[in-house]
Amino acid sequence: MRAGGDRAKGRPGTRIRNGRQGEVGVKLYEKLAADIEALVKQGVLLPGERIPSVRQASQHHRMSITTVIRAYVLLESRGVIESRPQSGYFVRARAGEPAAELQPSRPSAKPSAVDVSALVLSTLRSIRSDDAVPLGSPYPEASLFPWQRINQYANNIARRYAKWTMLDDLPPGSPELIRQISRRYLENGYAVNPNELIVTIGATEAINLCLQAVAKPGDTIAVESPTYYAMLHAIERLGMRAIEVATDPVEGIDIGALARLIDEKGVAACMVMPNFQNPLGFQMPDEKKRALVAMLTGKDIPVIENDVCGELYYGEAHPSSLKAFDTAGIVLHCSSFSKTLTNAYRIGWALPGRYRGAVERLKFLNTLTTPAIPQLAIAEFLKNDGYDFHLRRVRKAYAQQASIMAATVRRFFPEGTTTSRPAGGYVLWVQLPEGIDAMEMYHAALEHRITVAPGHMFAPAATYRHCIRLNYSAEWSTGIETAVQTLGKIAQHLLAQGRAHPDSKNHG
Amino acid sequence: MRAGGDRAKGRPGTRIRNGRQGEVGVKLYEKLAADIEALVKQGVLLPGERIPSVRQASQHHRMSITTVIRAYVLLESRGVIESRPQSGYFVRARAGEPAAELQPSRPSAKPSAVDVSALVLSTLRSIRSDDAVPLGSPYPEASLFPWQRINQYANNIARRYAKWTMLDDLPPGSPELIRQISRRYLENGYAVNPNELIVTIGATEAINLCLQAVAKPGDTIAVESPTYYAMLHAIERLGMRAIEVATDPVEGIDIGALARLIDEKGVAACMVMPNFQNPLGFQMPDEKKRALVAMLTGKDIPVIENDVCGELYYGEAHPSSLKAFDTAGIVLHCSSFSKTLTNAYRIGWALPGRYRGAVERLKFLNTLTTPAIPQLAIAEFLKNDGYDFHLRRVRKAYAQQASIMAATVRRFFPEGTTTSRPAGGYVLWVQLPEGIDAMEMYHAALEHRITVAPGHMFAPAATYRHCIRLNYSAEWSTGIETAVQTLGKIAQHLLAQGRAHPDSKNHG
């Protein structure tokens, strides 16, 4: 609705010429459909963009409503456009196009110490500046968050607390928030036990506590390749080692490869993000989730499931989670409101299965309590049903922006560039042609006041030195489009430079 | 001002009889002084209680103002009462009385694993109930906290944030809060480097991060004996071992004993609370602070200084800290606003000396950011100079309640009971006669809806099984007095039981 709306309405060049409407042998609606399809193929109409409404097109091309509808139905049947209820018609992501696909990763199977936090922190700091285009940010752009309402709830709650006893804030957390989160899971299709839930300082603390509950310093932890660096941080913090597991960009971690590593390398636990993985954006299919839990149950290996993006699906319904298939209590499920509602409040939670006691104790030791007012404010927001309305808006915006970002990258980046096809969330993984170093790209982009997240942050080794992650949570604008275009030019330049001086590429 | 005010004003029995005012050889003011001193000795007037004003006493006893003033001056010179500016005259703590003194501790010099958190958590949970007298609480009673004003600041700040970027919240924390905290140190007598300061989730996180920065799992950490269990929690959380160091109840840790342990046992770091130590309440003298830092600098051993009660002094001026004597950067100074301003906001900080880089990185890994609104609200409160006014009230109340609590314990507890003499803070350490087990006392008290903190929580071994800690931060009331009386009866009963069945005492 938001992105691209202005452009679709009246942009020159999108007008279908109908001067030849009397032409023999070609039906009028077929001609209109062919013309629109051509515009899409030429990149004039971008994936995710809204095309004119039936009424607009009818006026614009001086055709009957029926003709336009027949053209649109034809285009829909060909997979060129799609209709969205109450929103209109949109150019579809080009699922069938011949562009190169991301291939499943084949990482080295050696455990290694983790030391990415310094790079991540310095990268995040570079994004702080207000005038940089924050394509490297890990956070959803904040303007879609319902600040006013949540802050209002917090204010009302604070006003009621003239007297406070911190003892009420002891773990596991606010009973009302726990009730609301549990209700939310039920609405999303599966029951969780409220008595299992522990409120934390964001998912960051949840992941840290869960990992500490199941493994000890020196242990080897299996992670997806690439993996979200929040996972790597937890491993680094506790002095453990990470081992990367082959991961499919559409279906997620390779269960067979993981099983072999567990048998051969003595893995203590694994950490995955089955829904809208950061950075790949995939949604692991249900049967694969079930199979993963079954395999790990058989080997008695706990798994930490990061589900912070679970609510940001583009499909019809909330995806399941590993937790939904867990009967043995080996899944330690972590989530938060930071990616979906507000990241300023730092409210997350863990459902640690059979490790609940240990996680609660560690929560108490780590930060004693989670502040109560933010917990109660979010509980109030959930209770008053503002969450679904808010999420529907966010999902729609992200889905549209995902298509536009991917298409824009394909348009401006060098040949040989491939991208992920996010099924949810708000980040795109971009694999550059060999020879472009992401750190060089990061530094060059920074000089143009654009940030990107270099692939180096997503693995313990330099596995992804030719990849970057782009954040598309901000409303699409010409500013962003220009930034992506600039990134494309930088990539072209680095590629040319690399080919001229191939030796210099070994030190990025 | 608050505590005991009503009772002092018109209680029967405090009236000095002056029927014999013509008596030969004894001056009228001396007689009045002697009568008041007798009431103090009999425990009718309690330490910390306000005695009638000069004007009231003059009317009450039908004596001239001058006579009363001469009597009060005499009592002051004898150390029986003290005058407090703008407040009147108060019965002094009986510094010179012959009651048994707490002796310096002589703990075993064996490192041991730490496992106190389960006990602490279950004890804290028992205090949650609103209808229990919370003498076992670790937290200051909340009614003295300026909730309304701080919440008001938070509300105003939240209202300004229609748009938020979490990137601004990255460690080290809000620049404005850091500035205000640094200014506060300067006002309190020593400069700290604002660039060294890192904001944390309460002092709990600060202590955890500092300990992790200087030691690794399995290392031995020296602690005071008894020690605040927050220190033990940090050691437990990281799988380290604690070794107790002999500690004087008035001057703090035994520097010679600590030096020997460092040489003989390979101590990696030590953790102390030099100001108003929890549970002993002492203030380590300046020269001893200086000597401790010098000794540790010589041996290159880092020290974590917990200064959460530094602002709660009963003396004339803010005490110094180890940090003030640190030139080598070995002091990792931790503090918070939880004990002095609001514990619901969970804002603490670390000044980690030369370990700053490591602590900042660990902060980032542990909880990513500290929520910004609470930081900014407290900064605003500090900026508007509400803090000093607030603290003056709190210190005065705590100082008075300290004397009353100690005197009440001495009045009702069995012979052989000794107590600490807190120089600040809000907790009293009570050593019961041998044969009373603090856990039994805790359970018996709970049946009377009274909580106490059993000594078992304050050492890795069962060193303090015959001690309890009492919180006197709540305004003194007959309810609290009755609770202390009940505790005294329980102690008498347990003592008698223990003497009747000495064998049963070995299993508390």
Side-chain angles (χ1 to χ4, degrees):
Chain A
M1 288 290 294
R2 302 164 67 94
D6 292 348
R7 302 154 82 222
K9 263 174 217 145
R11 194 167 64 165
T14 56
R15 180 166 177 169
I16 309 297
R17 284 154 211 253
N18 61 342
R20 295 162 294 169
Q21 63 174 275
E23 218 168 299
V24 177
V26 179
K27 295 209 175 76
L28 201 55
Y29 75 88
E30 288 179 343
K31 179 75 190 75
L32 175 59
D35 287 349
I36 292 175
E37 195 169 353
L39 290 172
V40 169
K41 282 195 174 139
Q42 292 150 21
V44 176
L45 285 171
L46 293 177
E49 270 195 327
R50 189 167 61 164
I51 64 170
S53 71
V54 170
R55 184 171 303 275
Q56 285 167 334
S58 157
Q59 290 168 354
H60 195 63
H61 305 301
R62 281 167 250 135
M63 293 174 182
S64 74
I65 295 273
T66 314
T67 304
V68 176
I69 289 176
R70 290 187 71 179
Y72 282 15
V73 168
L74 181 64
L75 284 168
E76 214 177 350
S77 73
R78 288 184 189 156
V80 176
I81 64 171
E82 63 189 353
S83 69
R84 297 185 193 158
Q86 269 103 47
S87 303
Y89 287 90
F90 293 79
V91 179
R92 279 189 63 165
R94 282 170 287 178
E97 78 175 13
E101 292 282 339
L102 274 184
Q103 295 301 308
S105 63
R106 285 198 197 78
S108 124
K110 277 192 203 144
S112 61
V114 178
D115 185 22
V116 298
S117 66
L119 172 65
V120 174
L121 186 52
S122 75
T123 309
L124 293 184
R125 286 226 169 92
S126 73
I127 303 167
R128 279 173 104 154
S129 168
D130 268 351
D131 60 341
V133 185
L135 305 182
S137 172
Y139 306 120
E141 207 269 339
S143 63
L144 282 178
F145 285 169
W147 295 105
Q148 306 280 7
R149 286 188 61 200
I150 303 180
N151 285 339
Q152 190 92 54
Y153 286 131
N155 294 355
N156 292 341
I157 290 158
R159 212 169 296 138
R160 292 203 299 270
Y161 281 87
K163 194 177 162 178
W164 191 276
T165 163
M166 193 159 85
L167 294 162
D168 292 332
D169 301 345
L170 288 174
S174 150
E176 181 57 20
L177 179 62
I178 290 174
R179 208 175 70 79
Q180 292 299 335
I181 295 173
S182 307
R183 193 176 68 106
R184 180 84 204 155
Y185 277 99
L186 205 60
E187 286 168 5
N188 282 334
Y190 52 100
V192 299
N193 179 357
N195 297 322
E196 186 186 332
L197 201 149
I198 293 162
V199 180
T200 56
I201 309 282
T204 304
E205 188 183 39
I207 292 169
N208 277 326
L209 303 179
C210 286
L211 184 59
Q212 189 169 358
V214 299
K216 56 185 194 309
D219 278 354
T220 297
I221 311 299
V223 297
E224 294 155 320
S225 179
T227 186
Y228 186 28
Y229 52 72
M231 312 293 212
L232 296 175
H233 284 168
I235 295 170
E236 176 178 341
R237 170 178 165 273
L238 293 164
M240 302 172 182
R241 298 187 307 164
I243 192 163
E244 296 176 65
V245 185
T247 299
D248 183 274
V250 176
E251 300 214 328
I253 200 162
D254 182 329
I255 298 174
L258 174 60
R260 281 189 299 279
L261 285 178
I262 289 170
D263 291 343
E264 292 162 15
K265 308 276 175 180
V267 166
C270 67
M271 306 179 89
V272 294
M273 191 169 174
N275 292 325
F276 322 125
Q277 195 244 18
N278 189 330
L280 290 171
F282 60 75
Q283 174 183 334
M284 186 185 264
D286 277 8
E287 64 274 25
K288 225 181 139 178
K289 285 176 179 151
R290 190 193 304 271
L292 176 60
V293 174
M295 185 276 283
L296 292 170
T297 302
K299 297 185 185 295
D300 201 29
I301 299 290
V303 54
I304 293 160
E305 171 178 45
N306 180 346
D307 198 36
V308 292
C309 286
E311 293 275 18
L312 301 177
Y313 52 90
Y314 303 163
E316 288 304 307
H318 194 285
S320 69
S321 73
L322 298 188
K323 190 77 193 163
F325 301 108
D326 181 29
T327 52
I330 59 153
V331 177
L332 300 94
H333 177 96
C334 302
S335 194
S336 84
F337 293 106
S338 297
K339 305 288 191 273
T340 53
L341 188 56
T342 164
N343 50 22
Y345 279 28
R346 310 292 298 120
I347 300 295
W349 65 91
L351 285 155
R354 70 186 192 207
Y355 302 94
R356 193 216 176 260
V359 169
E360 185 182 52
R361 189 180 63 91
L362 288 168
K363 162 65 192 174
F364 178 61
L365 293 179
N366 195 45
T367 50
L368 205 56
T369 68
T370 303
I373 293 174
Q375 290 187 63
L376 294 170
I378 290 180
E380 196 82 358
F381 186 87
L382 296 182
K383 196 162 116 191
N384 294 325
D385 289 329
Y387 201 35
D388 267 319
F389 173 79
H390 158 70
L391 285 172
R392 274 196 296 274
R393 282 179 61 216
V394 171
R395 285 180 203 125
K396 191 184 276 184
Y398 288 178
Q400 195 168 343
Q401 287 153 209
S403 302
I404 302 176
M405 178 61 92
T408 310
V409 166
R410 285 197 289 271
R411 192 156 119 208
F412 292 123
F413 273 52
E415 206 179 329
T417 300
T418 51
T419 71
S420 59
R421 299 186 181 278
Y426 52 84
V427 295
L428 186 77
W429 184 243
V430 179
Q431 184 178 305
L432 304 161
E434 286 287 342
I436 300 180
D437 184 274
M439 281 310 297
E440 287 184 37
M441 177 121 185
Y442 164 77
H443 289 295
L446 213 51
E447 282 175 27
H448 289 84
R449 315 295 311 135
I450 303 164
T451 62
V452 302
H456 301 65
M457 300 184 344
F458 301 90
T463 321
Y464 298 100
R465 53 193 298 167
H466 60 301
C467 295
I468 59 173
R469 187 195 64 184
L470 299 178
N471 179 319
Y472 53 78
S473 61
E475 187 177 355
W476 196 259
S477 66
T478 50
I480 295 176
E481 183 161 318
T482 307
V484 178
Q485 187 170 13
T486 304
L487 291 179
K489 283 179 191 160
I490 292 170
Q492 299 279 12
H493 176 75
L494 289 173
L495 188 62
Q497 216 177 34
R499 280 175 186 155
H501 311 283
D503 288 350
S504 71
K505 291 297 98 185
N506 295 327
H507 317 283
Chain B
M1 289 289 294
R2 303 164 67 93
D6 292 347
R7 301 155 80 223
K9 263 175 218 146
R11 194 167 63 166
T14 58
R15 180 167 178 168
I16 310 297
R17 285 154 211 253
N18 62 342
R20 294 162 297 170
Q21 62 173 275
E23 217 167 300
V24 177
V26 179
K27 294 209 178 74
L28 201 55
Y29 75 89
E30 286 179 343
K31 180 74 191 75
L32 175 59
D35 287 349
I36 291 175
E37 195 170 352
L39 290 172
V40 170
K41 281 195 174 137
Q42 292 151 20
V44 176
L45 284 173
L46 291 177
E49 269 195 328
R50 190 166 60 164
I51 64 172
S53 72
V54 170
R55 184 170 302 275
Q56 286 169 334
S58 157
Q59 289 167 356
H60 195 62
H61 304 303
R62 283 167 248 138
M63 293 173 182
S64 73
I65 294 273
T66 315
T67 303
V68 176
I69 288 176
R70 290 185 71 180
Y72 281 15
V73 167
L74 181 64
L75 285 168
E76 213 176 350
S77 74
R78 288 184 189 158
V80 177
I81 64 171
E82 63 188 353
S83 68
R84 296 186 195 159
Q86 270 104 49
S87 303
Y89 287 90
F90 292 80
V91 179
R92 280 189 62 166
R94 285 170 285 180
E97 80 175 11
E101 292 283 339
L102 274 184
Q103 295 303 308
S105 63
R106 285 197 198 79
S108 125
K110 278 192 202 142
S112 61
V114 179
D115 184 21
V116 298
S117 66
L119 172 63
V120 174
L121 187 52
S122 76
T123 309
L124 294 184
R125 286 228 170 91
S126 73
I127 302 167
R128 279 173 104 156
S129 169
D130 268 349
D131 61 340
V133 186
L135 304 182
S137 172
Y139 305 120
E141 207 268 339
S143 63
L144 283 178
F145 286 169
W147 294 105
Q148 305 279 8
R149 286 188 61 201
I150 303 179
N151 284 339
Q152 190 93 55
Y153 286 130
N155 294 356
N156 291 340
I157 290 157
R159 212 169 295 137
R160 291 204 298 271
Y161 281 87
K163 194 178 161 177
W164 191 276
T165 162
M166 193 159 85
L167 294 162
D168 293 332
D169 301 346
L170 287 174
S174 150
E176 181 57 21
L177 179 62
I178 290 174
R179 208 175 71 77
Q180 292 299 334
I181 295 174
S182 307
R183 193 175 69 105
R184 180 85 204 155
Y185 276 99
L186 205 60
E187 286 168 5
N188 281 335
Y190 52 101
V192 298
N193 179 358
N195 296 322
E196 185 186 333
L197 200 149
I198 293 161
V199 180
T200 56
I201 309 282
T204 304
E205 189 184 37
I207 292 168
N208 277 327
L209 303 179
C210 286
L211 184 59
Q212 190 168 358
V214 299
K216 56 184 194 311
D219 278 354
T220 297
I221 312 298
V223 297
E224 294 155 322
S225 178
T227 186
Y228 185 28
Y229 52 72
M231 311 292 212
L232 296 176
H233 284 169
I235 295 170
E236 176 178 341
R237 170 178 164 273
L238 293 163
M240 301 172 182
R241 298 185 308 164
I243 191 163
E244 295 177 65
V245 184
T247 299
D248 183 273
V250 175
E251 300 214 329
I253 200 163
D254 183 328
I255 297 175
L258 174 60
R260 281 190 299 279
L261 284 179
I262 290 171
D263 292 342
E264 291 163 15
K265 307 277 176 183
V267 166
C270 67
M271 305 180 89
V272 294
M273 191 168 173
N275 292 325
F276 321 125
Q277 195 243 19
N278 188 332
L280 289 171
F282 61 76
Q283 175 184 333
M284 185 185 266
D286 277 8
E287 65 273 25
K288 224 181 139 178
K289 284 176 180 152
R290 189 192 305 273
L292 177 60
V293 174
M295 185 276 283
L296 292 170
T297 302
K299 297 185 185 296
D300 202 30
I301 298 290
V303 54
I304 292 160
E305 170 178 46
N306 180 346
D307 198 36
V308 292
C309 285
E311 293 274 18
L312 301 178
Y313 52 90
Y314 302 162
E316 288 304 307
H318 194 285
S320 69
S321 73
L322 297 188
K323 190 78 194 162
F325 301 108
D326 182 28
T327 52
I330 60 153
V331 177
L332 300 94
H333 177 96
C334 301
S335 193
S336 85
F337 293 105
S338 297
K339 304 288 192 271
T340 53
L341 187 59
T342 164
N343 50 22
Y345 278 28
R346 310 291 298 117
I347 299 295
W349 65 92
L351 284 156
R354 71 185 191 209
Y355 302 94
R356 193 219 176 258
V359 169
E360 184 182 53
R361 189 180 63 90
L362 287 167
K363 162 65 192 175
F364 178 61
L365 293 179
N366 195 46
T367 50
L368 205 56
T369 68
T370 304
I373 293 174
Q375 291 188 62
L376 294 170
I378 289 181
E380 196 82 358
F381 187 87
L382 296 182
K383 196 163 116 191
N384 294 327
D385 289 329
Y387 201 34
D388 267 319
F389 173 80
H390 159 69
L391 284 172
R392 275 196 296 273
R393 283 180 62 216
V394 170
R395 286 181 201 124
K396 190 185 276 183
Y398 288 179
Q400 195 168 340
Q401 287 153 211
S403 302
I404 302 176
M405 178 61 92
T408 311
V409 166
R410 285 197 289 271
R411 192 155 119 210
F412 293 122
F413 274 51
E415 207 178 330
T417 299
T418 51
T419 72
S420 59
R421 299 187 180 278
Y426 52 83
V427 295
L428 186 78
W429 185 244
V430 179
Q431 185 178 304
L432 305 162
E434 286 287 343
I436 301 180
D437 184 274
M439 281 310 297
E440 287 184 36
M441 178 123 184
Y442 163 77
H443 287 296
L446 213 52
E447 282 175 26
H448 289 85
R449 314 296 311 135
I450 303 165
T451 62
V452 300
H456 302 65
M457 300 182 347
F458 301 90
T463 320
Y464 298 101
R465 53 192 297 167
H466 60 302
C467 296
I468 59 172
R469 187 193 66 183
L470 299 178
N471 180 319
Y472 53 78
S473 62
E475 187 177 356
W476 195 259
S477 66
T478 50
I480 295 176
E481 183 161 319
T482 307
V484 177
Q485 188 170 10
T486 304
L487 291 179
K489 284 180 190 158
I490 292 170
Q492 300 280 12
H493 177 75
L494 289 173
L495 187 64
Q497 215 178 35
R499 280 175 185 154
H501 311 284
D503 289 349
S504 71
K505 291 295 99 184
N506 296 327
H507 316 283

